[in-house]
Amino acid sequence: MKLQSINPSTEEIVQEYTGHSKQDCVDRVGLSHQAFQEWRSFSLLEKKKCVQRLIETLKERKGVYAELMALEMGKPMHEGVAEIEKSAKCCEYTVQHVHEWLKEEIISSNGEKSYVSFEPLGAILAIMPWNFPFWQVIRFAVPTLLAGNVVLLKHAPNVSGCSLELEKLFIEAGFPKHVFTSLLIPSSETESSVRELILHPFVAGVTLTGSVRAGKSVAKMAGEALKKCVLELGGNDPYIICSDADLNHAANACLTSRMLNSGQTCIAAKRLIVMEDVKKSFEDLLLEQMERVEMDAPLSSSGKMGPLARTDLRDCLHQQIQESIKEGATLRLGGRLPSGKGAFYPPTLLTDVTPRMRAFKEELFGPVVVVVSAKSEEEAVSLANDSEYGLGGAVFTQDLNKGERMAKDKLQAGSCFVNSFVKSDPRFPFGGIKKSGFGRELTAYGIKEFVNIKTVNVFK
């Protein structure tokens, strides 16, 4: 069983890896369970020291890790460095606050002593995507490990090198062997192997970041095994541009959100819902800015947009765009497959999009800006919520009270921003509603997803 990392810029094989068989995975689960017995007995201070060393290594090797991401999934070097720096900051924030998140909560009762404690569960299986191969893993793994659990990582096959480097990173930081374990599972074996892992008695829970289809499958398996799961799935985030918005700022924020990681971000600005009276001005600003976005190989220092992660993903995106055009969308920029090698796709602007089109209903995972017109703010909210997803959303207006009311009371999503694009932040919980999943990562809300919230009552 071989797994291949293929450079999406050149379509050349970067590295081949030998996958783990089902028996290998079972054996590693057993070793992970043994490691849990040791790790759970470490004091919180000892665990934090391991994370501190991990932070130092992340900072020292950010260029090395960024280069690996560029080779395996096409992330531009400057974005890869930023991903590692963000991962380090997440670790720093978690270390600073983990004591208060996990401290016992004293409860007044008629007993001598009553409190709620937070105890680790065991091995947590993490099924992670390729688009942020370090950040997605670290933001889950570090809080989970500090809570006393151990981690089994099933990463996306095309970033197997990143997966192995993560395992090496945790070991070198002083975490006991098998506290963080990487499982290399080929795509053809994923469903059956993941099922066996979830059903394994030593696996206590599962978290997945991925597609709705994968989420449904994992949730079904976890339900059958009566095990906790957290799902962070797709997004089709609406950004409402009100008539009184600062259009230059809004256009810049929306475009920054949409072009990040070549548009391969769950919380990107995917549907721009613009008031009819400013639609033309806003579209012209978008077009002007998008025409300046250029593509380049991710290993260059140009700061330009890289390719998509795989050619099959690029081809699927192109089909969605072409069908939306047939359904009546207007193509103002891009929308054509480049010649030559690589999974590159140009910045693309679709306007006059309506709810019946694929570009409105489906998540477009690439550098595609979709503009939808609304006659009123009430219609804009209705269009924004007309989605099976509920990950993020934003409102742009100079009336901050109005913007806050719309974000808080009207938009149906896990994260809602005013006058800024949505981004994950270690200081806030992250996750979605509807088909964007359930459960949260980050902060006290995230760390308590995989603990036993235990009531302790002591009587004479």
Side-chain angles (χ1 to χ4, degrees):
M1 291 188 300
K2 294 291 184 182
L3 294 86
Q4 291 183 335
S5 291
I6 298 175
N7 186 330
S9 294
T10 63
E11 299 181 45
E12 296 173 350
I13 296 174
V14 177
Q15 187 72 44
E16 283 192 339
Y17 302 92
T18 300
H20 293 122
S21 67
K22 289 183 180 179
Q23 187 57 52
D24 291 334
C25 291
V26 169
D27 292 343
R28 286 180 162 238
V29 171
L31 293 169
S32 179
H33 180 67
Q34 292 175 24
F36 171 60
Q37 309 310 318
E38 176 190 5
W39 178 245
R40 70 180 305 175
S41 68
F42 276 45
S43 69
L44 186 55
L45 179 60
E46 289 173 311
K47 296 186 183 87
K48 287 165 68 173
K49 285 180 179 178
C50 293
V51 178
Q52 291 289 2
R53 289 191 290 269
L54 186 142
I55 293 167
E56 293 168 9
T57 305
L58 282 170
K59 292 178 177 179
E60 289 169 3
R61 296 185 187 169
K62 60 185 178 182
V64 175
Y65 295 149
E67 182 175 347
L68 181 57
M69 285 187 274
L71 287 170
E72 288 202 307
M73 50 73 58
K75 191 185 298 288
M77 282 292 293
H78 69 283
E79 291 188 16
V81 168
E83 177 171 337
I84 301 302
E85 290 174 343
K86 183 175 182 178
S87 298
K89 288 179 181 176
C90 179
C91 295
E92 290 169 341
Y93 186 80
T94 303
V95 164
Q96 288 173 2
H97 295 277
V98 66
H99 178 76
E100 63 190 77
W101 296 342
L102 293 176
K103 71 180 179 182
E104 295 171 354
E105 294 182 7
I106 306 300
I107 306 294
S108 177
S109 75
N110 59 348
E112 289 295 304
K113 191 176 183 181
S114 304
Y115 58 92
V116 175
S117 66
F118 305 99
E119 309 297 327
L121 297 176
I124 308 301
L125 173 63
I127 304 168
M128 291 289 144
W130 47 261
N131 57 337
F132 290 92
F134 278 78
W135 164 245
Q136 295 275 177
V137 174
I138 286 172
R139 79 181 190 192
F140 154 76
V142 168
T144 300
L145 291 168
L146 285 170
N149 297 302
V150 295
V151 170
L152 297 163
L153 171 64
K154 188 276 171 209
H155 220 322
N158 60 321
V159 290
S160 294
C162 292
S163 183
L164 293 176
E165 280 297 319
L166 280 158
E167 181 178 86
K168 180 180 174 183
L169 169 67
F170 280 89
I171 291 172
E172 291 184 357
F175 290 84
K177 199 172 182 182
H178 306 301
V179 163
F180 183 102
T181 302
S182 178
L183 304 173
L184 300 187
I185 300 174
S187 297
S188 60
E189 298 286 330
T190 293
E191 187 168 352
S192 60
S193 293
V194 166
R195 179 179 178 81
E196 287 196 21
L197 288 167
I198 292 174
L199 294 177
H200 196 289
F202 290 162
V203 173
V206 57
T207 181
L208 173 138
T209 297
S211 68
V212 172
R213 183 190 62 78
K216 287 180 178 180
S217 177
V218 165
K220 183 177 180 180
M221 297 175 195
E224 182 181 340
L226 291 177
K227 293 180 182 177
K228 177 71 176 289
C229 67
V230 169
L231 305 176
E232 195 263 277
L233 309 178
N236 199 1
D237 291 11
Y239 280 39
I240 296 175
I241 317 300
C242 296
S243 299
D244 64 346
D246 180 334
L247 296 185
N248 279 296
H249 169 70
N252 181 263
C254 291
L255 192 60
T256 299
S257 171
R258 197 62 183 108
M259 296 297 119
L260 180 68
N261 207 30
S262 303
Q264 300 166 120
T265 307
C266 294
I267 49 172
K270 296 202 172 86
R271 293 176 297 143
L272 309 187
I273 301 169
V274 188
M275 293 301 106
E276 204 170 63
D277 58 338
V278 296
K279 178 175 177 286
K280 184 180 185 308
S281 299
F282 184 72
E283 285 180 3
D284 290 344
L285 286 168
L286 280 174
L287 183 62
E288 180 186 341
Q289 294 185 30
M290 291 181 70
E291 287 175 334
R292 295 198 291 266
V293 177
E294 299 179 76
M295 298 179 289
D296 198 2
L299 283 171
S300 76
S301 57
S302 66
K304 297 175 183 177
M305 189 179 75
L308 300 192
R310 300 195 312 261
T311 53
D312 62 309
L313 298 172
R314 188 268 311 271
D315 295 343
C316 178
L317 175 68
H318 184 63
Q319 182 182 30
Q320 289 174 300
I321 291 166
Q322 295 306 305
E323 290 191 17
S324 296
I325 293 169
K326 289 178 183 177
E327 291 166 341
T330 300
L331 178 67
R332 294 200 63 184
L333 183 70
R336 293 177 177 82
L337 289 172
S339 59
K341 290 282 187 179
F344 292 95
Y345 200 80
T348 297
L349 177 59
L350 289 177
T351 65
D352 303 315
V353 173
T354 66
R356 65 183 179 84
M357 300 176 186
R358 289 190 70 180
F360 184 97
K361 293 183 290 187
E362 300 176 7
E363 180 178 27
L364 303 185
F365 219 56
V368 184
V369 176
V370 170
V371 178
V372 182
S373 176
K375 293 183 173 65
S376 66
E377 290 171 1
E378 290 74 18
E379 183 186 13
V381 169
S382 178
L383 288 166
N385 292 333
D386 184 12
S387 173
E388 64 180 9
Y389 297 103
L391 194 55
V395 179
F396 286 83
T397 174
Q398 295 188 66
D399 183 340
L400 299 188
N401 289 329
K402 177 179 73 176
E404 182 181 356
R405 285 195 305 272
M406 292 174 72
K408 179 180 180 296
D409 300 329
K410 303 293 184 181
L411 292 183
Q412 299 169 358
S415 297
C416 294
F417 285 34
V418 178
N419 292 330
S420 178
F421 62 88
V422 179
K423 45 188 173 288
S424 56
D425 184 318
R427 297 169 295 182
F428 300 96
F430 184 78
I433 60 173
K434 299 194 277 190
K435 287 188 179 178
S436 287
F438 48 76
R440 292 295 180 266
E441 292 181 306
L442 302 174
T443 73
Y445 298 97
I447 204 170
K448 289 174 182 173
E449 291 284 3
F450 293 110
V451 295
N452 175 17
I453 303 174
K454 181 187 289 184
T455 295
V456 179
N457 265 311
V458 180
F459 293 90
K460 277 187 175 181

